[in-house]
Amino acid sequence: MKEFFGFGGYTREAEGYLSWQHLLFVTSLVAVMIALAVVLGMKNRSKEDRIKNKVLIIAALLIDGIELFKIVILCIRHEDAFHWIYELPLFLCSIQLIALPLAAFSKGRIKEAALDFVFIFGILGAILGTYGAGNNYAAYPVLSFDNVASGITHSISGFSSLYIAISGMASMKKKNIPITFSILGVFCVLAYVSNIIIDYNYMFLMRADGTPYQILYDLLSGNPIAYPLGVVALFIVYIVLYYGIYYLSTKKKAHA
């Protein structure tokens, strides 16, 4: 258990990013994620919203509970009660720690917008946080607390996104699009300011750290202004494309 949680440092070497161990582990998580979303989504598709929402409530409690447990463990491991400042929900994936509970527990337009946000970014976060997490899998053994906890929480985000789609909970209303952009914009600003204050890399706005953002970082030669703006631009393009593909594939027009 001491080795699994990394107390005193991991004695095992990391198997490496995109190693067969990494790919086998994350593929197993993604397979379970998809299977649960399909089974529960189809089961609840014709049921009332109250029943559908129970699954999201469980998902929200799990993702936040695991994340809080992770923060406690990391503070103990680093022997630093203030280590939590490096574990704030200011990565694109970790916005779900707030968006998913909002989707599960709020009502009205806020709930609709939160559901759409989880629907749009949950699956992206799941892929980036499993297959694309070069920063984690290059540094820690695959079966370590850091990677297992991260893999599970990212998979919960992906599950929630797929479940919302399959169960028919996504509204994707035109009037809620500005809220989606606003949520993302606020977190990007908070992440960038936090990076400056504590010299960190929330939202990967300062450097790529072994993630797929490395392509953009190299393309822009790591320019401290162009690179973070480029990352934000990618988010915006993703949202626009997601809405566009959604309406084309469902043959729906944006609701008022």
Side-chain angles (χ1 to χ4, degrees), residues 206-218:
M206 313 308 284
R207 55 193 178 275
D209 279 354
T211 65
Y213 292 117
Q214 190 67 49
I215 298 172
L216 179 64
Y217 189 85
D218 293 340

Side-chain angles (χ1 to χ4, degrees), residues 37 41 59 65 75 108 148 161 174 236 238 248:
C75 285
V148 171
S161 174
K174 182 178 179 181
I236 295 172
Y238 175 78
L248 286 174

Side-chain angles (χ1 to χ4, degrees), residues 28 40 79 89 96 101 129 135-136 138 143 185 193 196 205 218 236 242:
S28 300
L40 293 175
E79 299 180 348
Q96 304 300 337
N135 54 318
N136 275 358
L143 295 181
V193 171
I196 298 298
L205 292 176
D218 293 340
I236 295 172
Y242 203 99

Side-chain angles (χ1 to χ4, degrees), residues 222-240:
N223 186 284
I225 296 176
Y227 171 69
L229 289 176
V231 172
V232 175
L234 286 178
F235 296 156
I236 295 172
V237 169
Y238 175 78
I239 294 174
V240 172

Side-chain angles (χ1 to χ4, degrees), residues 56-192:
L56 289 185
I57 290 175
I58 295 172
L61 293 175
L62 280 174
I63 194 172
D64 278 11
I66 293 171
E67 188 66 17
L68 286 173
F69 179 67
K70 185 186 82 172
I71 292 173
V72 171
I73 291 296
L74 293 181
C75 285
I76 295 172
R77 196 170 79 186
H78 287 84
E79 299 180 348
D80 181 5
F82 292 96
H83 182 76
W84 58 267
I85 65 174
Y86 300 109
E87 303 296 333
L88 297 173
L90 294 177
F91 286 104
L92 179 64
C93 310
S94 54
I95 298 176
Q96 304 300 337
L97 295 168
I98 295 174
L100 185 50
L102 279 176
F105 294 103
S106 63
K107 295 181 179 180
R109 190 174 174 186
I110 293 178
K111 184 179 186 69
E112 289 180 348
L115 283 168
D116 290 349
F117 191 91
V118 175
F119 173 47
I120 293 170
F121 283 106
I123 192 65
L124 177 65
I127 299 303
L128 290 178
T130 53
Y131 289 103
N135 54 318
N136 275 358
Y137 290 95
Y140 310 118
V142 170
L143 295 181
S144 63
F145 177 72
D146 294 79
N147 285 330
V148 171
S150 177
I152 292 174
T153 53
H154 283 89
S155 295
I156 291 174
S157 295
F159 159 81
S160 300
S161 174
L162 292 174
Y163 174 78
I164 288 170
I166 296 170
S167 65
M169 296 184 75
S171 66
M172 298 296 278
K173 292 181 179 178
K174 182 178 179 181
K175 67 179 182 180
N176 292 332
I177 294 177
I179 300 179
T180 300
F181 280 105
S182 297
I183 292 172
L184 181 63
V186 168
F187 275 91
C188 284
V189 170
L190 290 174
Y192 189 78

Side-chain angles (χ1 to χ4, degrees), residues 46-62:
S46 59
K47 296 183 179 179
E48 60 186 46
D49 289 344
R50 179 179 60 84
I51 301 299
K52 294 179 181 180
N53 198 60
K54 287 182 178 180
V55 174
L56 289 185
I57 290 175
I58 295 172
L61 293 175
L62 280 174

